[in-house]
Amino acid sequence: MEPLKLYMLLLGCTIPGRHTEQHDVFFGIAHKLSDLIPDMKAFWPEAGDKLHVDAWREVTGVGNYQITVVSREETVDNAEQLYFLNLGGYKPGEMEEYHYKMLHVSKDIGTAIREAKETAFCQHNTFTSPGSPAATSHVDDKYGVDVDDIVPVKDILPASVRTQYQLKIVPVADQHPEDELHLGYFQLHKL
């Protein structure tokens, strides 16, 4: 049997009454991607048969940290947490808010936010327009922005998963290889 894996998925659907496709990020733990279908449907029931995956990755490492899934019974002493941040920003002359979804390992949310603001996304999606307020990039949805809204990845996993498994975050000597991103339109029945 394959080992358990942490997955990060970008789900998409066009909900009745909307003019554009909507998206949300889903985290799950499973042996293989297709095992997550029931949890995805439960996460976004309004999507119905329009639900699909636009991108996914198996999360094995972030920066200088290895991420693994272990049993809830195993003793884990994570000095750091794995955070999900959804950054939002703008470009001059474009009627769009662009987003950059990132994972970051940090011992506190303040450090995670400071380091997120150093990303190329934040540097290239902020501008000042004469006669308008500055269009600065920001952290959307307040995932980990202030004390009331700190949401480490472990806390946004499906409840049934949180009772069985936990994430083990181990520092490694060198930068962990980038996780492969799978991009495209993936229908659930073809996963």
Side-chain angles (χ1 to χ4, degrees):
M1 181 179 280
E2 293 185 43
L4 286 167
K5 303 167 189 169
L6 172 64
Y7 289 96
M8 176 181 179
L9 297 91
L10 179 64
L11 301 179
C13 72
T14 303
I15 298 173
R18 300 290 184 208
H19 300 292
T20 60
E21 183 176 325
Q22 311 292 295
H23 293 94
D24 205 345
V25 174
F26 172 81
F27 289 89
I29 291 175
H31 292 284
K32 60 185 190 284
L33 189 61
S34 60
D35 292 344
L36 293 173
I37 293 172
D39 287 335
M40 286 185 267
K41 288 180 176 182
F43 174 74
W44 203 348
E46 304 84 4
D49 63 356
K50 303 278 187 190
L51 187 65
H52 61 273
V53 176
D54 282 311
W56 64 274
R57 83 186 250 196
E58 181 184 318
V59 181
T60 62
V62 175
N64 289 356
Y65 296 89
Q66 180 181 20
I67 312 296
T68 55
V69 175
V70 296
S71 166
R72 175 60 64 198
E73 289 137 19
E74 185 175 321
T75 301
V76 172
D77 185 25
N78 292 328
E80 292 86 10
Q81 291 297 318
L82 176 62
Y83 293 99
F84 166 68
L85 292 97
N86 184 28
L87 305 177
Y90 306 91
K91 293 183 181 180
E94 295 187 28
M95 190 171 155
E96 184 68 54
E97 180 183 1
Y98 295 94
H99 290 94
Y100 180 67
K101 289 131 182 67
M102 67 178 287
L103 295 175
H104 188 75
V105 174
S106 178
K107 58 180 144 179
D108 64 69
I109 195 60
T111 303
I113 292 170
R114 278 191 303 280
E115 292 176 359
K117 289 181 178 180
E118 300 296 319
T119 64
F121 177 85
C122 285
Q123 304 301 316
H124 296 293
N125 288 282
T126 300
F127 68 94
T128 304
S129 179
S132 298
T136 57
S137 56
H138 55 280
V139 180
D140 256 8
D141 295 329
K142 297 189 178 187
Y143 280 109
V145 172
D146 45 47
V147 174
D148 292 332
D149 295 339
I150 294 174
V151 184
V153 169
K154 68 178 184 161
D155 293 344
I156 55 178
L157 288 165
S160 61
V161 170
R162 289 192 310 262
T163 61
Q164 297 179 61
Y165 308 109
Q166 61 185 325
L167 301 178
K168 185 174 183 178
I169 303 167
V170 178
V172 292
D174 295 323
Q175 180 87 10
H176 193 278
E178 292 277 328
D179 292 328
E180 181 180 358
L181 294 179
H182 303 267
L183 307 171
Y185 180 88
F186 303 97
Q187 295 174 315
L188 297 187
H189 72 277
K190 293 185 179 180
L191 295 177

